[in-house]
Amino acid sequence: MLVKETMTEKTPDLIGASVPRLDSHEKVTGAAQFTDDLQFGPGLLYARIKRSPHPHALIKSIDISRAKALPGVKAVVTGEDFPGFIGLYLKDRYIFARDRVRYVGEAVAGVAAISEAVAEKAVELIKIEYELLEPVLDPEFGASPEAPLIHPDLGNYEVVPFIFPRPGTNISNHFKIRKGDPDSAWSQCAAIVEHKYHIPHVQHVPLEPHVAVAKMDEQGKITLWSSSQSPFAQRNLIAKSLGISQSDMRVIAPYVGGGFGCKAGVSMEALAVAIAMKTKGRPVKLLLTREEEFYTAFVRQGLVSKIKIGCDAQGKLLAMENTMYWDGGASTEYGVNITRAGGYSSSGPYEIPNVKTDSMCVYTNHPVGGAMRGFGMPELHAGLEQCIDELAREIKLDPVQFRRLNCLKTGSIVVTGSKMHPTGLPECIDKVAEAIRWEHKAPASSPTKRRGKGIALMWKAPAMPPNPGSSAVIELNEDGTVTLAVGGQEIGQGTFTVMAQMAAATLGVPYEWIRIAGPVDTQYSPYEWQTVASRLTWSMGNAVVNAARDAREQILNVVAQAWNEQPEDLDIINGEVVSFKSEETISLKDIVIYGLPKPNASGWIGGPIVGRGNFMPTYVTGLDFETGQGERAVVHYTTGAQAVELEVDLETGKIEILRAAAAFDLGKAINPELAKAQVEGGFVQGMSTALFESLQFKGGVLQNPSFVDYRIATSADAPPQIDSILVEVPQDDGPFGARGVGEHPMVPTIPAIANAIYDAIGIRVGSPPFTAEKVYLAMVEAGALGP
């Protein structure tokens, strides 16, 4: 008799294997890119947008008559044509501005014409009269009673139940934590550190700018082709805003040329749809220029944070106060949930018995803040982890030892009052300290340089509603190959590869047999909430595994009936059904479509195999509005640690990262090489925000909307060595124990570098970016350069 253990050895272990990426078009069926206008025919129209030149003003009048009369112009639209609100968590903005403009670059009117040149000319001919209003350009001031209101109708907006606006103010969400008694705890502290940090806006700068093509057919049905992380969310939000059925709104989303969060939700895509509704039967293409990309699509929110934290003489953390003013910009329809995530993560990955947090999303007259890799956690940790380092030094404890003492461990009570699930954070600390050779102090490479090391921890949960769903469909083909349909998006992170691995391992077929159906199309693809929050490996992965199990069960039931055996005596290995009882085998080929004959030619059983699976978390609970305490605030946390070694040039202030080490507990690495690539890429992107990136505003006007003045890291800036370390403490509800790790490597980088700079020169430079100029001037001011 065959034994299951022996047969299983014939199937390669696909989980934890670094199989080749599923990037080729041969493996992603139908994934042709729309790279030119030929796909949409000679009737394609080009859209351009008339934008506000003011940060805050009333719209007194709009004259579109000259633009409409221009030859070649097919449509001119304004906010009067589209009165519906749009927004993910808080419906607080129009597709085109109506009564007032709230930031420089806000869309006021749109044009569709036979060429971009004609459209640009028509935009110039639109005349708008404004009445200027006082802008709000600082979130701390914006939260005060003295600030002018940016959204007087805040109290009338539709909002989800876990977001708490304060009508009559500029605060669109106020999330509170009240844990223990911080006021009484301060007197017990042997050391207290208190600081204020300003974290600037940054831009995602994807290689591919935002682009969308929309068309309304003669029956009134709309198709949108967009570079999108959120095709299903776009379908839902745009349809609701326009007052049409979701079944009449179709979104097709091919491969995305870089997202990092800026292509989540809806930013410019609704503009193309709105204009196309006025050019029925003709598609309309809207492509943002690189300059527009910097300030008219989502930006990462700015943050002003005030942190006070104290510990006892042994180094045990006792109390924290954390007040955060998030610069949400002119619309906070997405940013309100960043504020919420900042609130329920406000303690950092530490067990602190007494915590007071006020996390406030504040309207300002800056560009709209949206999702970016890390979803508020890089900004939050930037200051908090510097305070942790300072506190350790105040009581003369090594920063690594201090973090080992206070970090969250399995069973710790987190800031929202629930218990921490199993976590490998202590192991992450030990591994990065070992990798960076924390105890070894190497000399600088020259007398004019100083060398230092820094460490920072992080935690991040998938920031999302309590019930976002995933689904998957598996269809088997005549030759036994498998077509896997998912609604999540490939944005370079390798999710199609990982889904194929999970499907193959669960079903029992070779990885090479899996094909991903694409592009993602809301008319045919199974539902997926959004490709955000580092949730696909966990959530969509569960749906894929459930679909594969469903298909597998159908196959085994058919074969068991045909062979007169029990399904539990059968298995699928390398694409063949095997019996451990009778030792019979049969290939999946043909039987998964045509079925099998019954004994004695008495008929047939089976038929085309289609597996279906879905997943939705059902256990996330609400939190008390006044205290932020509750049974389970989030589905899980991914934790990690990062350390860097760097040199500071005393003559120029330039920072050179010599080495980095990063360890993250991702539950189970489905594809270790892809996971390590995420760790490396996340570090470099985090390093870029630490050393170079900042959107510079003056009077609400962006001063550096180009790569000439907005510096990002390149391969030349990356350290020669990045140690990517994967820790695996399984997630109880994760597929194969996995949870996400896509965003997390960017979270601790700013404070790790800041702490290393301090270790090198004994100076806190303050808020990022830590440019050479800023570091040099800080040394001059501190008298660190001598006479």
Side-chain angles (χ1 to χ4, degrees):
M1 177 181 292
L2 296 175
V3 293
K4 184 171 291 189
E5 288 75 17
T6 302
M7 289 302 300
T8 302
E9 289 174 2
K10 293 184 179 180
T11 301
D13 186 1
L14 295 171
I15 303 304
S18 296
V19 301
R21 282 183 65 111
L22 241 182
D23 279 345
S24 68
H25 288 221
E26 290 81 10
K27 294 294 182 68
V28 184
T29 60
Q33 296 287 343
F34 59 95
T35 56
D36 56 51
D37 303 334
L38 294 178
Q39 177 176 348
F40 302 100
L44 180 68
L45 300 175
Y46 298 87
R48 298 306 298 152
I49 305 300
K50 182 74 171 181
R51 300 185 181 277
S52 167
H54 307 296
H56 198 195
L58 296 178
I59 299 174
K60 305 303 289 184
S61 66
I62 304 176
D63 182 359
I64 62 174
S65 59
R66 294 178 63 200
K68 290 178 69 175
L70 184 68
V73 170
K74 300 302 179 182
V76 181
V77 302
T78 69
E80 291 302 310
D81 301 303
F82 303 101
F85 284 96
I86 193 168
L88 184 63
Y89 297 102
L90 172 68
K91 297 189 187 306
D92 68 351
R93 65 184 175 96
Y94 297 112
I95 294 176
F96 288 94
R98 286 171 58 85
D99 56 339
R100 68 171 73 193
V101 292
R102 295 178 170 90
Y103 69 101
V104 174
E106 183 169 8
V108 182
V111 173
I114 59 173
S115 70
E116 287 192 357
V118 174
E120 289 280 7
K121 179 62 177 177
V123 165
E124 294 174 5
L125 295 176
I126 297 173
K127 300 303 177 185
I128 304 174
E129 181 185 355
Y130 295 97
E131 179 184 323
L132 300 187
L133 299 174
E134 179 187 354
V136 174
L137 304 175
D138 174 78
E140 190 173 1
F141 169 69
S144 69
E146 293 77 23
L149 293 183
I150 298 175
H151 284 265
D153 296 327
L154 174 59
N156 299 325
Y157 294 158
E158 182 182 339
V159 62
V160 297
F162 51 85
I163 299 299
F164 307 111
R166 286 170 50 182
T169 75
N170 287 320
I171 300 172
S172 56
N173 187 26
H174 186 173
F175 185 94
K176 303 176 187 177
I177 292 288
R178 302 293 187 266
K179 178 188 178 188
D181 186 3
D183 291 338
S184 300
W186 297 119
S187 61
Q188 304 169 36
C189 293
I192 297 174
V193 168
E194 190 169 4
H195 284 294
K196 182 177 180 179
Y197 298 92
H198 294 260
I199 312 302
H201 296 82
V202 300
Q203 180 43 252
H204 312 68
V205 292
L207 182 63
E208 174 202 38
H210 282 72
V211 60
V213 178
K215 179 183 178 181
M216 173 179 270
D217 65 21
E218 296 300 331
Q219 287 72 45
K221 295 183 180 293
I222 297 170
T223 301
L224 169 67
W225 295 262
S226 69
S227 177
S228 173
Q229 297 176 228
S230 310
F232 286 92
Q234 287 183 351
R235 178 188 67 174
N236 182 44
L237 297 177
I238 296 174
K240 283 184 174 180
S241 179
L242 297 176
I244 64 176
S245 169
Q246 287 86 346
S247 63
D248 292 330
M249 176 82 201
R250 177 186 181 188
V251 180
I252 301 173
Y255 274 151
V256 175
F260 312 112
C262 71
K263 294 174 183 173
V266 177
S267 57
M268 53 74 78
E269 298 81 10
L271 301 175
V273 173
I275 298 171
M277 292 179 72
K278 303 298 183 181
T279 63
K280 187 175 290 187
R282 298 191 67 172
V284 174
K285 179 177 181 178
L286 178 60
L287 170 67
L288 295 190
T289 66
R290 178 57 65 181
E291 181 174 342
E292 286 178 312
E293 188 74 31
F294 271 96
Y295 64 98
T296 70
F298 288 144
V299 300
R300 191 177 81 177
Q301 295 185 137
L303 173 65
V304 175
S305 64
K306 299 178 179 179
I307 302 172
K308 180 180 180 182
I309 187 167
C311 66
D312 63 21
Q314 288 71 47
K316 195 68 176 175
L317 290 171
L318 296 181
M320 170 186 279
E321 286 187 8
N322 196 341
T323 304
M324 292 174 276
Y325 301 93
W326 297 87
D327 190 334
S331 163
T332 62
E333 52 108 347
Y334 215 132
V336 288
N337 199 40
I338 299 172
T339 299
R340 183 174 186 268
Y344 62 61
S345 306
S346 56
S347 65
Y350 300 99
E351 185 166 17
I352 308 176
N354 304 288
V355 179
K356 178 184 178 183
T357 296
D358 290 282
S359 183
M360 291 168 279
C361 192
V362 184
Y363 284 121
T364 68
N365 294 113
H366 283 141
V368 176
M372 185 175 176
R373 191 177 193 176
F375 207 73
M377 296 303 102
E379 304 96 292
L380 164 68
H381 286 74
L384 190 152
E385 280 293 314
Q386 291 189 66
C387 286
I388 290 289
D389 230 52
E390 286 194 47
L391 197 58
R393 295 178 188 277
E394 280 282 325
I395 59 166
K396 297 180 171 52
L397 267 183
D398 177 82
V400 169
Q401 182 184 352
F402 188 86
R403 287 175 169 84
R404 284 195 193 107
L405 175 66
N406 289 289
C407 76
L408 290 170
K409 305 168 182 69
T410 302
S412 294
I413 303 301
V414 303
V415 68
T416 54
S418 60
K419 286 187 177 181
M420 183 66 181
H421 57 75
T423 177
L425 182 55
E427 184 180 352
C428 292
I429 298 172
D430 292 342
K431 286 187 177 294
V432 297
E434 179 183 1
I436 207 77
R437 300 181 68 197
W438 182 261
E439 303 293 341
H440 176 70
K441 302 299 181 183
S445 61
S446 93
T448 61
K449 295 183 179 181
R450 297 292 182 268
R451 184 173 292 207
K453 294 179 181 179
I455 188 171
L457 309 188
M458 64 74 58
W459 71 336
K460 182 190 180 299
M464 57 191 187
N467 58 337
S470 298
S471 56
V473 175
I474 280 179
E475 296 179 341
L476 282 95
N477 306 308
E478 289 88 343
D479 61 357
T481 57
V482 178
T483 301
L484 170 60
V486 292
Q489 184 61 286
E490 177 61 63
I491 56 174
Q493 81 280 45
T495 194
F496 285 175
T497 303
V498 168
M499 294 305 125
Q501 285 181 258
M502 290 189 191
T506 304
L507 188 56
V509 301
Y511 165 77
E512 293 77 13
W513 287 18
I514 306 295
R515 307 289 187 269
I516 305 294
V520 177
D521 183 336
T522 59
Q523 185 164 302
Y524 301 109
S525 301
Y527 177 83
E528 181 61 55
W529 179 61
Q530 292 192 88
T531 301
V532 296
S534 302
R535 58 182 286 279
L536 288 194
T537 296
W538 167 76
S539 182
M540 193 167 76
N542 270 319
V544 167
V545 167
N546 289 337
R549 286 172 176 164
D550 182 33
R552 177 187 177 87
E553 182 180 347
Q554 294 177 49
I555 295 167
L556 294 183
N557 284 338
V558 167
V559 176
Q561 188 176 348
W563 289 356
N564 196 28
E565 296 192 30
Q566 297 300 314
E568 51 266 29
D569 292 327
L570 306 177
D571 201 353
I572 304 175
I573 300 173
N574 276 332
E576 292 189 337
V577 180
V578 299
S579 169
F580 303 114
K581 184 177 181 181
S582 65
E583 300 190 7
E584 284 195 64
T585 67
I586 188 171
S587 171
L588 295 183
K589 296 178 180 179
D590 292 332
I591 71 169
V592 292
I593 295 294
Y594 304 117
L596 285 169
K598 291 180 180 179
N600 303 318
S602 58
W604 290 77
I605 54 175
I609 299 295
V610 179
R612 295 174 175 85
N614 61 30
F615 175 78
M616 184 185 80
T618 58
Y619 37 75
V620 175
T621 63
L623 301 177
D624 184 86
F625 167 70
E626 291 295 337
T627 67
Q629 303 300 288
E631 185 178 342
R632 187 165 181 174
V634 299
V635 292
H636 59 251
Y637 284 97
T638 296
T639 57
Q642 202 171 83
V644 299
E645 184 175 17
L646 55 75
E647 283 189 336
V648 180
D649 191 318
L650 300 180
E651 295 181 328
T652 65
K654 182 181 178 181
I655 306 296
E656 182 182 1
I657 310 295
L658 304 175
R659 184 177 182 181
F664 295 91
D665 175 15
L666 72 173
K668 174 65 178 179
I670 305 299
N671 189 307
E673 290 306 311
L674 285 179
K676 289 179 180 179
Q678 287 296 301
V679 173
E680 293 167 3
F683 174 82
V684 173
Q685 192 170 17
M687 179 190 74
S688 188
T689 61
L691 300 182
F692 308 122
E693 295 187 49
S694 173
L695 291 173
Q696 302 292 327
F697 293 97
K698 184 177 181 180
V701 180
L702 182 62
Q703 303 298 297
N704 58 333
S706 77
F707 287 127
V708 173
D709 299 306
Y710 187 92
R711 169 93 151 85
I712 64 172
T714 69
S715 57
D717 301 300
Q721 182 174 351
I722 302 175
D723 294 318
S724 301
I725 304 163
L726 307 180
V727 173
E728 297 179 314
V729 175
Q731 180 64 34
D732 59 355
D733 65 345
F736 303 96
R739 54 180 166 263
V741 74
E743 299 170 88
H744 310 81
M746 187 175 172
V747 172
T749 313
I750 292 175
I753 290 174
N755 291 336
I757 293 172
Y758 180 84
D759 187 52
I761 60 176
I763 296 172
R764 288 284 169 188
V765 179
S767 301
F770 310 123
T771 62
E773 178 185 21
K774 187 182 291 186
V775 173
Y776 182 81
L777 292 177
M779 291 191 292
V780 171
E781 184 178 352
L785 299 180

